Structure formats: structure tokens, C-alpha cells
Amino acid sequence: MPPGSGSRCATEGVEAKSQRGLLQRHDCDDCQEFLLGKPTPTAAFDKLLGSPTGAAPAARQLATASA
């Protein structure tokens, strides 16, 4: 997006400090990065949300299908 357009830039899957640095130098606003946070296992995510495992079977099925 051009600077000053009012749009935000977000990237996904940043795995290395060099990638994050490049994106920061090019004014990328947000990153979803494996560098700082690895994917959370389903049971741990359920616990984080305060819901018992099995509370969201459709979400779990979708996550399993895309793995």
C-alpha cells in the first residue's frame, strides 16, 4: 500500500529476524510470526479460552483438515 493511504499492512508466517527486519524497514504494521509464537495445540488453546476440550469441534475439525 502506498504510504499515507491510511491502509495498514499485515504479513503472515514470518519465521526469521531478517524477514521481520525487512518488513519493518518497509513500514509493515503487523506480523503474525512463528518467530515469536509457535502454533498452540488445541487442548492448550481451549484452556487459554477457558473452554473444555471438545467445546469447538467444528474449529478442531477445520484445523485438522488444514494441517
Side-chain angles (χ1 to χ4, degrees), residues 30-55:
D30 300 300
C31 294
Q32 176 184 339
E33 48 190 285
F34 293 110
L35 182 64
L36 296 178
K38 306 294 185 233
T40 304
T42 302
F45 189 72
D46 284 345
K47 186 175 181 180
L48 178 69
L49 294 178
S51 62
T53 300

Side-chain angles (χ1 to χ4, degrees), residues 42 57-67:
T42 302
R60 189 168 357 288
Q61 183 178 9
L62 178 62
T64 304
S66 64

